[in-house]
Structure formats: structure tokens, C-alpha cells
Amino acid sequence: MQLTSFTDYGLRALIYMASLPGDQMTNISQVTEVYGVSRNHMVKIINQLSRAGLVTAVRGKNGGIKLGKPAETIRIGDVVRELEPLSLVNCESDFCHITPACRLKHVLHTAVEHFLDELNQYTLADMVKDNSTLYKLLLVE
């Protein structure tokens, strides 16, 4: 299974925000500069993360973005579930005529759930805690 770039950069943006000291805010331009992704793409990602309550966006002169809740409470699997289209195959009867008898869809669904359960063993805090190399790479020391 490969995550979409949308989910990939969503996780990266959250890691960046979790790496910032205290409750420090950042902005989309800083995140796009760190990862070299287009601003338009990152705006869509941050909007989705904001709708999910994972990012707080504050408008205005002193505005910016920051985590919407503590990094210790943001589970990686939940982020993937929020951002990733998790249908591995198209089981619509218009598309696949064996859908009524197919057992594969159940197997794939179970596999995805196990994958997400494994990811949920880790939080955003686990990704950044005591990771001085990460801080240096993100220039947030």
C-alpha cells in the first residue's frame, strides 16, 4: 500500500508543527518551504487537517497555523484515515460483476484495518520526541 502525496505531506506538515517549541505558530509558506511542495497543494492539506480538528488556523496579522490538539493525542492511523482514500478496489456492482460473491473485499478491508491499527500504536509525539536530527533538518532549534 502506498499513501498518496496528500497524506504524505499532511503527515509531514503535522510533524513540522509538532517539532516547533511550545505553542509556537507557523504558516503555510514556512511549511511549503521546508518540504518543497506547492503552496496550493499545502493549502488544501491544511484545510483538510483543520476541518478534522488536527490543525488550528488563526487569521490576521498575528495568525498562522498550529496543532489543533496535543501531539500526544494525535494517532498516526487516525491521520491516515482522515486524509487517505482507503478503498483499495472498486467493488461497485457497476464496475465488478462478482461483487455479490466476492470475498476479496472483506480480506482487503481487514488488511486496511490492521494497517491502521498498527499505525495507531504511534502518536505524532512519538515521531518528534527526542529527535534532535529531525529538529536540525527542519531548522526548528
Side-chain angles (χ1 to χ4, degrees):
M1 177 174 192
Q2 183 172 352
L3 299 177
T4 62
S5 65
F6 192 87
T7 301
D8 179 9
Y9 284 112
L11 288 165
R12 292 183 201 205
L14 291 171
I15 287 170
Y16 179 74
M17 287 181 260
S19 298
L20 296 172
D23 208 23
Q24 181 179 329
M25 295 188 94
T26 188
N27 60 51
I28 291 174
S29 295
Q30 288 175 317
V31 177
T32 60
E33 186 176 316
V34 166
Y35 293 119
V37 65
S38 84
R39 180 174 170 72
N40 287 340
H41 193 53
M42 188 56 69
V43 165
K44 292 174 189 172
I45 293 166
I46 296 301
N47 282 337
Q48 179 73 23
L49 291 170
S50 180
R51 282 192 299 274
L54 299 170
V55 169
T56 298
V58 178
R59 294 185 182 271
K61 182 179 177 185
N62 295 318
I65 56 174
K66 65 180 183 173
L67 292 180
K69 49 187 171 178
E72 296 80 15
T73 67
I74 299 175
R75 299 184 313 170
I76 301 301
D78 291 340
V79 175
V80 171
R81 191 182 305 271
E82 188 65 43
L83 299 179
E84 190 70 22
L86 293 170
S87 292
L88 298 182
V89 294
N90 184 350
C91 293
E92 297 294 320
S93 58
D94 292 349
F95 183 78
C96 180
H97 70 279
I98 67 167
T99 293
C102 184
R103 293 181 180 158
L104 179 62
K105 60 186 170 191
H106 174 71
V107 171
L108 293 175
H109 174 76
T110 301
V112 167
E113 288 303 314
H114 286 296
F115 172 68
L116 294 171
D117 288 345
E118 181 62 27
L119 291 178
N120 271 341
Q121 300 301 309
Y122 304 94
T123 67
L124 193 54
D126 295 327
M127 302 300 110
V128 300
K129 184 180 175 187
D130 300 324
N131 194 340
S132 60
T133 304
L134 175 70
Y135 302 142
K136 287 177 187 172
L137 290 169
L138 295 176
L139 304 173
V140 293
E141 285 192 298

